[in-house]
Structures are given as structure tokens and as C-alpha cells.
């Protein structure tokens, strides 16, 4: 079966068509600048790469264009839309309603819409993507795969905040966690490598958005993002954990409204805000090497916070067998992995700096010394594949 994976954001829509017989990606691309001028679509197949500018006022037109290109004689890879056997949709927030992926029907759409109050920037475009696909290829069953569901196994003591219990029951204020499909994929790869279900694992998903999870025997028991993806690690542009009283103080000092303060914490903070250089770790590394002190301190703050969570999660797991690095920074930034693993010998982590600097791009690599008690791995993530696999489960 061929499964179309859709990751719909407010102004862009990423897609992949995956042949589930061998899990090969037949085509992938993006529709960008939806409802903005100069919209375009890209498609990449084994045969070609192609970009087309077109007028794209909404998600329905975007999906139509994806299907047009997938079936295009010159640039596509299938003959008719009937070849799309099912569609897997990434949905950011499942709230308390979904602890696993689910076949989409009217009721599911209603619940995803209801959870939009928890993810106002993400769930509405996710629903737009679902509705556009349902309209364009009604024959193909659709499945929703949630960023939050892998974390639904967290115990109450991990997900409750120190707030009156009523705000949890009345307003659903609790830790949810995000990047679940990535944590799930990396955990299952780690368990395959480990060869045994009993595994105390920390997954470090370090991308523009970044989060850690503590995984015990394949189940998430804690994660660093919270009620929203703003919590936890210091990220590219997001602050991560801060003292919540800062918000009122910042608002008084700057005259920003609460909404503006949150935007400031989401978009102008993190390593970008600290360094004043960039949110991109390539630029930060270069600037730090050239003597830029604020770039250096931004990298220090970033790795210090990761280390902080590694310590916390080792305690929560009551030990540690493996750490897995993934996503843009985790897979590629050699110097960041080195900064994080430095001085963690007490916990049994010994990084092999040669292996760390020479691990092949896009492949699984073991980067610990042979004497290291804890394994350290780089495991490239594949969120689309998780979505496709989850979708297939509902089609059998
Ligand atoms: P997201 O999916 O959250 O947007 P990614 O997982 O794609 O993020 O990670 C993007 C980040 O990865 C970039 O901002 C950059 O900081 C980092 N990155 C990518 N390649 C490299 C590299 N070769 N060296 C250092 N950092 C890198």
C-alpha cells in the first residue's frame, strides 16, 4: 500500500508518499506560502526535483496541487489518485482525548477542533489538511497521529504541575509533551539496537524545537516540554523553562502585553536571544570559534540545560543504559554533543571524541568509548515513517 503523509502547518504543508511494502519514499515535497503571495510547491522523486509557482489561497488548493503533481507524467510517481491507499496526518495536540493514533471520522475531527484551544497555531491547519484530503481523495482512509500520544504514558506525578488540582480537571492544564513521533521512532530504534525490552533510555531530540524524554522499557515516563512546546530546554528561539513571575515583571518593564511577552519568549529568546547572532547552531558554532562571547555563552546555556535534564532523568529512571541524540542539532552538531557529554563520567558516560567527529551523516552511529557504562548513540529520526506505520496499522 502507498501512504500519503501530510504535515499541515498554517502557511506550509509538507508531504511524503511512502510505499509500505519496502518503506521507500516515492516522493516528498512542500507547499509553501499558502494564502500568501508567491506560493509554490516542490516535488522530489527518484527521477527528478521540480518546483512550481502557483496561486494557493487555501489548504484545499494545496492538497489538490500535491495530488496533481504526484500523478503528473513528467514529475510524479503514480498513475492515478486511486493508488493512494491511505493518508496519515500529523496532528500536534491530542489533549487528554487521544493516547494513540486514530482513524479519522467526524467525531475525531470535532475532538481535534476542541483541542485547538490547547494548540491554536497548530490544530486548525491540521484540520484544514484533513478536510482537504477527505474532499480530494474520499476513497482513502485517513488516520491522525498525534505529537502528544507517545507521552501519554507519563504518570500523574510527572505531568501534574504544582497548581490547584482543579485547573487540571477544569482547564486541562498539565504537561503534555511534544515531538512524540520522533521520540517514539528513536526509542524503537534504540530498543532494536539494545536487543532487549529492558532499557533505561534518554532521547535528546535537539532541533530548532528541542525536547528530552525519559523512556523506561519503551514507555515515556517524563519529557521536557510541557503544556505547550515553550517549556523545557533552551531552544533556537524559545526560552524553555523560566520563572513564571518573569512574565509580569517583563510586561511592566517593557510595556508588552501578556500575549506579546509569550511571543517574545517563543520567537526572540533561546540561543538567538542570548547570542544576538542566530538561532542556527552552525552560525553559533562559527561565531563562538571567532571569539564571539555571547555566541559561546548561548551554547553553554543550551548544553547546560540539556545536561540538567539528563541528570534529572537519570535519577527518575533510577539509572541509565543509553542516550540517543537525534534531529538537526543532535544528528549533526558534533561540538554540541561533545559539550553535553563532557563531565558526565560520574553517570557512566564516556564519549569517544573520534567516533563523535566521524559518525556518518544520516546513519545510526555508536559514539561512546568501549569502556563507557552508558551507550551513546546518534539515531536519525524519521517522523514521517512513524506516521505512515501508524496509519498502516489502522488499514489492516
Ligand atoms: P526543526 O524540525 O525543529 O525545524 P531540525 O531538526 O531540522 O529542526 O533542526 C534544525 C537545526 O539543526 C538548525 O537550526 C541548526 O541549528 C541545526 N543543524 C543542522 N545541521 C547542522 C550542522 N551541520 N551543524 C550544526 N547544527 C546543525
Amino acid at each position: 500500500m502507498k501512504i500519503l503523509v501530510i504535515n499541515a502547518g498554517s502557511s506550509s504543508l509538507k508531504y511524503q508518499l511512502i510505499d509500505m511494502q519496502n518503506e521507500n519514499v516515492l516522493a516528498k515535497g512542500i507547499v509553501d506560502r499558502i494564502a500568501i503571495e508567491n506560493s509554490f510547491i516542490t516535488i522530489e522523486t527518484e527521477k527528478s526535483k521540480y518546483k512550481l509557482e502557483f496561486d494557493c489561497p487555501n489548504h484545499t488548493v494545496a492538497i489538490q496541487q500535491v495530488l496533481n503533481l504526484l500523478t503528473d507524467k513528467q514529475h510524479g510517481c503514480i498513475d492515478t489518485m486511486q493508488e493512494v491507499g491511505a493518508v496519515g496526518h500529523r496532528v500536534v495536540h491530542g489533549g487528554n482525548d487521544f493516547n494513540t493514533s486514530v482513524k479519522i471520522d467526524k467525531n475525531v475531527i470535532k475532538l481535534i477542533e476542541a483541542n485547538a484551544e490547547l494548540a491554536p497555531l497548530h490544530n486548525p491547519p491540521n484540520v484544514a489538511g484533513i478536510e482537504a484530503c477527505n474532499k480530494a481523495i474520499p476513497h482513502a482512509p485517513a488516520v491522525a497521529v498525534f505529537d502528544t500520544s507517545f507521552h501519554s504514558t507519563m504518570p500523574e506525578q510527572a505531568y501534574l504541575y504544582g497548581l490547584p488540582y482543579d485547573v487540571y480537571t477544569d482547564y486541562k492544564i498539565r504537561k503534555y509533551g511534544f515531538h512524540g513521533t520522533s521520540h517514539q521512532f528513536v526509542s524503537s530504534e534504540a530498543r532494536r539496537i539494545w536487543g532487549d525490552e529492558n532499557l533505561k533510555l534518554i532521547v535528546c531530540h535537539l532541533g530548532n524545537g528541542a525536547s528530552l524524554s525519559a523512556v523506561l522499557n519503551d514507555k515515556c515516563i517524563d519529557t521536557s516540554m510541557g503544556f505547550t512546546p515553550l517549556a523545557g530546554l533552551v531552544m533556537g528561539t524559545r526560552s524553555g523553562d523560566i520563572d513564571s513571575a518573569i512574565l509580569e515583571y517583563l510586561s511592566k518593564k517593557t510595556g508588552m502585553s501578556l500575549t506579546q511577552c509569550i511571543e517574545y519568549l517563543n520567537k526572540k529568546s533561546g540561543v538567538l536571544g542570548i547570542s544576538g547572532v542566530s538561532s542556527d547552531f552552525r552560525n553559533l558554532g562559527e561565531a563562538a570559534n571567532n571569539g564571539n562571547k555571547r555566541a559561546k555563552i548561548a551554547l553553554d546555556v543550551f548544553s547546560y540545560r540539556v545536561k540538567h535534564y539528563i541528570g534529572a532523568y537519570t535519577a527518575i529512571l533510577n539509572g541509565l543504559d543509553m542516550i540517543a541524540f537525534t534531529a538537526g542539532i543532535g544528528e549533526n552538531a558534533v561540538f554540541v554533543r561533545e559539550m553535553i557529554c563532557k563531565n558526565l563520567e560520574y553517570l557512566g558516560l564516556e564519549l569517544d571524541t573520534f567516533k563523535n567527529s566521524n559518525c556518518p551523516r544520516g546513519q545510526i552511529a555508536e559514539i561512546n568509548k568501549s569502556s563507557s557504562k552508558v551507550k551513546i548513540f546518534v539515531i536519525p529520526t524519521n517522523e514521517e515513517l512513524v506516521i505512515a506505520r501508524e496509519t498502516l496499522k489502522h488499514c489492516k
Side-chain angles (χ1 to χ4, degrees):
M1 180 190 287
K2 295 181 182 99
I3 290 181
L4 181 61
V5 175
I6 297 290
N7 179 356
S10 56
S11 66
S12 75
L13 182 151
K14 293 184 199 138
Y15 68 94
Q16 282 194 10
L17 185 67
I18 301 179
D19 184 347
M20 295 312 288
Q21 227 166 17
N22 45 21
E23 297 192 336
N24 275 352
V25 177
L26 301 173
K28 64 177 175 184
I30 185 168
V31 182
D32 214 346
R33 303 182 63 80
I34 298 171
I36 312 174
E37 76 285 10
N38 305 325
S39 321
F40 66 88
I41 180 169
T42 65
I43 183 164
E44 187 181 339
T45 64
E46 225 182 17
K47 302 178 295 194
S48 73
K49 267 188 188 176
Y50 177 63
K51 178 176 168 182
L52 172 74
E53 289 188 15
F54 72 111
D55 193 21
C56 187
N58 54 46
H59 287 74
T60 308
V61 177
I63 288 288
Q64 199 53 55
Q65 193 59 262
V66 169
L67 295 166
N68 287 348
L69 271 192
L70 285 172
T71 51
D72 184 81
K73 288 261 169 314
Q74 201 182 348
H75 303 288
C77 57
I78 50 174
D79 293 326
T80 74
M81 289 182 200
Q82 294 304 317
E83 285 185 54
V84 178
V87 187
H89 293 272
R90 176 193 182 204
V91 179
V92 167
H93 219 309
N96 270 333
D97 297 307
F98 302 102
N99 56 15
T100 180
S101 56
V102 61
K103 202 162 180 174
I104 298 172
D105 58 22
K106 279 194 184 131
N107 190 39
V108 168
I109 294 181
K110 263 195 204 146
L111 287 171
I112 297 173
E113 279 171 339
N115 280 312
E117 63 177 358
L118 299 174
L121 300 180
H122 294 101
N123 277 23
N126 296 160
V127 170
I130 291 168
E131 286 180 333
C133 275
N134 286 351
K135 208 162 40 169
I137 33 176
H139 72 274
V143 172
V145 183
F146 300 91
D147 271 25
T148 45
S149 60
F150 180 66
H151 304 301
S152 65
T153 47
M154 278 189 289
E156 213 175 27
Q157 64 193 23
Y159 70 66
L160 278 184
Y161 289 115
L163 294 169
Y165 199 79
D166 289 355
V167 300
Y168 164 56
T169 49
D170 294 352
Y171 307 132
K172 304 181 195 168
I173 297 177
R174 51 159 282 183
K175 179 191 279 197
Y176 290 101
F178 298 88
H179 294 139
T181 48
S182 175
H183 287 280
Q184 182 180 338
F185 181 80
V186 173
S187 302
S188 69
E189 288 293 279
R191 198 183 61 162
R192 192 175 54 74
I193 296 164
W194 188 247
D196 182 346
E197 199 172 271
N198 297 312
L199 172 64
K200 292 172 175 175
L201 170 74
I202 295 177
V203 178
C204 305
H205 175 107
L206 309 178
N208 234 333
S211 62
L212 257 64
S213 62
V215 183
L216 180 63
N217 307 339
D218 232 14
K219 297 230 170 348
C220 175
I221 59 165
D222 205 349
T223 191
S224 60
M225 281 181 168
F227 178 64
T228 73
L230 180 56
L233 303 177
V234 176
M235 305 178 219
T237 62
R238 288 175 234 168
S239 65
D241 297 336
I242 62 163
D243 178 342
S244 36
I246 291 172
L247 279 173
E248 191 196 14
Y249 189 77
L250 184 66
S251 166
K252 273 190 188 149
K253 285 282 176 194
T254 62
M256 285 192 287
S257 67
L258 209 51
T259 308
Q260 286 169 326
C261 284
I262 292 290
E263 171 136 337
Y264 190 72
L265 260 48
N266 264 308
K267 301 210 170 132
K268 303 260 190 269
S269 303
V271 291
L272 168 71
I274 297 171
S275 67
V277 172
S278 171
S279 62
D280 192 304
F281 279 66
R282 286 162 287 206
N283 302 339
L284 285 173
E286 205 178 297
N289 276 340
N290 291 333
N292 185 311
K293 288 209 175 96
R294 274 174 55 189
K296 165 83 174 55
I297 192 69
L299 291 169
D300 286 342
V301 171
F302 177 85
S303 29
Y304 182 89
R305 183 73 63 86
V306 176
K307 229 186 243 272
H308 172 104
Y309 271 99
I310 289 174
Y313 288 171
T314 306
I316 278 163
L317 287 162
N318 190 20
L320 185 61
D321 296 314
M322 191 192 289
I323 285 200
F325 287 102
T326 197
I329 300 159
E331 291 169 34
N332 300 303
V334 172
F335 66 100
V336 177
R337 290 196 300 257
E338 190 167 332
M339 289 172 81
I340 292 168
C341 293
K342 206 169 169 178
N343 296 331
L344 285 179
E345 291 82 8
Y346 179 77
L347 295 186
L349 265 97
E350 293 177 72
L351 184 78
D352 183 319
T353 48
F354 179 80
K355 284 187 193 161
N356 183 41
S357 322
N358 291 286
C359 64
R361 217 187 163 89
Q363 286 178 35
I364 293 178
E366 183 173 345
I367 56 172
N368 51 275
K369 286 186 184 159
S370 53
S371 56
S372 182
K373 217 165 69 183
V374 174
K375 299 273 184 210
I376 311 170
F377 271 86
V378 175
I379 302 182
T381 195
N382 193 338
E383 292 164 275
E384 289 76 14
L385 190 54
V386 172
I387 296 172
R389 284 176 180 167
E390 286 291 321
T391 303
L392 187 63
K393 277 190 204 165
H394 293 272
C395 298
K396 283 179 174 162

